[in-house]
Amino acid sequence: MSKTIKLPGLIDVHVHLRAPGATQKEDFQTGTKAAIAGGYTLVLDMPNNPEPTVSPEALQQKIDLAKARVYSDVGFHFGASKESIQYFESIKDKVFGLKLYMNHTTGELLIEDEKVLEEVFLNWIKKPILVHAEGETLQKAVILAKKFGNKLHVCHVSLKEEVELIKKAREDGLKVSCEVTCHHLFLTEDDALRLGPFGQMRPPLRSKHDQQALWQGITDGTIDMVASDHAPHTKEEKLGEKVPNGVPGLETTLPLLLTAVNDGRLTMDRLIELTSTNPRKVFKIPEQENTYIEVDLEESYEIKNENLQTKCGWSPFAGMKVTGKVKKVVLRGNIAYDGQNLFGPYGQVNIT
Ligand code: NCD
Ligand code: ZN
């Protein structure tokens, strides 16, 4: 059976395409091929490269690298660090947001010093500050955003207490948006045991109780969007002594959400809001003319590592059966994917 429908191209506000500096994991070409195959027509890249994106030169280097060859459109977030505050004014028009790490994760961008945090919130105005702030740390971010009047975007919400905190902050008048990932929606700490290093990421997989709160937040509108937090690492790295945190997600997010629609856990209208309308609104992403995708709502298939475009070549969802397949991706009138083959590159670097 088949039932093909047209959807807007998906937008992912949280991906790690790894270039420059970690292209054994992913690069702009393979990462944007994965994006297109997953139904995404625009992705926003994070700054936590080995040499982080915290200066105008580092940002320009990324823009130039991406310009050479991207299959989907790409934009960037700038990294917050003590030294990068001085550049905020000069780079603000080239990025969609500022990424601030308030917990430990991949890379060296953590800020814990209260004074530096205040300087960051004081100097980054208008565009969103995307925080990696788990549990109690999120409370700190909310207080700062209230004090300085920032737009706060909470990355990868994973705990029930975080959902509640966001709801309350919004009721108190804070401009706050948030995202959730499919690994937190579809996997729990039980899967972490089964997956070993391939189920290890920040924030970690949580309890069933937390997972239910995320689905509730999806249904009642507390959660604004789904982001992949596509964070590929090679199999060798994952099997090594010091396991890096992160899992790929660009090619599995839409099929998993379509499966939820098929199961009656999500409406199609809500799926469109979570993956396209809301990311575009929150990050003020310009319209992409004549850009859309087609999905077959009834085609079932098994997620297999060998069918993935991502350079890392694995997925925590391998072996899972999904219902809903990307059949076509059209980017500015160009067929970028026909359900089997990729064409192009037709992507653009979007720096405003
Ligand atoms: C991310 C990565 O590998 O860059 N890892 C992760 O577990 N999510 C970093 C991040 O987004 O925190
Ligand atoms: Zn991330």
Side-chain angles (χ1 to χ4, degrees):
M1 287 221 289
S2 97
K3 187 179 171 203
T4 301
I5 64 157
K6 203 168 150 175
L7 296 176
L10 273 70
I11 293 169
D12 195 340
V13 305
H14 187 157
V15 304
H16 303 263
L17 298 185
R18 306 300 195 200
T23 51
Q24 78 282 9
K25 303 175 198 279
E26 196 77 285
D27 58 43
F28 281 115
Q29 192 180 337
T30 55
T32 55
K33 277 186 176 179
I36 289 287
Y40 286 94
T41 53
L42 188 145
V43 297
L44 300 182
D45 183 50
M46 286 293 176
N48 64 326
N49 298 67
E51 277 188 35
T53 318
V54 291
S55 67
E57 295 75 27
L59 179 61
Q60 193 56 48
Q61 191 188 1
K62 264 195 176 176
I63 293 169
D64 292 341
L65 276 172
K67 268 191 179 153
R69 207 177 169 84
V70 278
Y71 284 78
S72 68
D73 289 357
V74 175
F76 300 99
H77 298 303
F78 198 58
S81 72
K82 187 167 184 257
E83 291 72 31
S84 78
I85 299 170
Q86 60 183 307
Y87 305 122
F88 284 2
E89 190 52 33
S90 66
I91 58 82
K92 69 176 192 318
D93 294 335
K94 294 186 176 176
V95 297
F96 287 87
L98 180 78
K99 179 68 184 283
L100 169 62
Y101 289 92
M102 294 175 72
N103 293 112
H104 281 283
T105 185
T106 311
E108 306 289 326
L109 281 173
L110 176 70
I111 307 182
E112 283 178 311
D113 185 309
E114 290 287 338
K115 275 223 176 71
V116 179
L117 284 172
E118 293 225 340
E119 284 295 306
V120 168
F121 279 79
L122 173 69
N123 286 286
W124 187 267
I125 30 182
K126 290 201 181 130
K127 290 188 179 180
I129 298 182
L130 300 94
V131 281
H132 181 137
E134 300 175 31
E136 279 175 23
T137 315
L138 179 57
Q139 181 74 59
K140 221 157 88 179
V142 165
I143 291 169
L144 283 163
K146 252 187 215 160
K147 179 166 172 191
F148 293 99
N150 311 82
K151 280 183 197 147
L152 190 70
H153 176 79
V154 184
C155 291
H156 37 52
V157 173
S158 65
L159 294 168
K160 183 171 192 240
E161 65 174 275
E162 293 167 359
V163 180
E164 282 164 1
L165 219 150
I166 290 164
K167 217 178 194 167
K168 170 131 199 325
R170 203 172 269 153
E171 282 162 11
D172 291 349
L174 184 73
K175 277 182 232 136
V176 56
S177 55
C178 67
E179 67 185 39
V180 68
T181 71
C182 270
H183 42 270
H184 294 114
L185 285 174
F186 291 87
L187 302 172
T188 64
E189 54 199 6
D190 297 343
D191 298 289
L193 295 174
R194 170 178 65 83
L195 291 164
F198 298 100
Q200 196 172 312
M201 75 294 284
R202 297 300 308 175
L205 295 174
R206 305 291 194 186
S207 68
K208 280 227 158 54
H209 176 72
D210 288 310
Q211 191 186 43
Q212 272 165 9
L214 300 183
W215 279 103
Q216 177 61 34
I218 289 263
T219 315
D220 71 18
T222 308
I223 288 165
D224 300 280
M225 61 191 86
V226 173
S228 70
D229 191 9
H230 180 78
H233 298 282
T234 68
K235 282 180 196 160
E236 294 70 30
E237 290 166 336
K238 277 293 197 184
L239 293 168
E241 204 114 289
K242 200 167 171 287
V243 181
N245 290 308
V247 297
L250 276 169
E251 292 164 86
T252 45
T253 300
L254 179 56
L256 286 165
L257 294 177
L258 290 172
T259 305
V261 171
N262 263 294
D263 293 345
R265 299 175 83 185
L266 184 66
T267 65
M268 190 55 88
D269 284 351
R270 192 76 186 114
L271 183 150
I272 295 170
E273 277 173 14
L274 291 164
T275 57
S276 168
T277 326
N278 289 347
R280 213 179 263 291
K281 210 185 289 168
V282 170
F283 289 92
K284 299 208 176 353
I285 294 167
E287 282 302 319
Q288 297 158 287
E289 293 292 316
N290 203 3
T291 295
Y292 61 90
I293 68 168
E294 285 175 11
V295 296
D296 184 341
L297 293 177
E298 289 178 349
E299 187 169 334
S300 294
Y301 69 100
E302 186 186 314
I303 295 171
K304 289 189 174 155
N305 288 342
E306 60 266 33
N307 294 339
L308 299 171
Q309 299 290 334
T310 173
K311 198 186 274 189
C312 74
W314 61 272
S315 161
F317 299 104
M320 202 180 262
K321 202 169 170 209
V322 285
T323 305
K325 188 167 189 319
V326 182
K327 300 300 275 185
K328 198 190 234 184
V329 177
V330 177
L331 181 55
R332 277 180 295 279
N334 304 295
I335 296 177
Y337 183 57
D338 67 3
Q340 266 173 343
N341 307 296
L342 289 146
F343 305 96
Y346 298 117
Q348 282 181 0
V349 177
N350 205 328
I351 58 167
T352 47

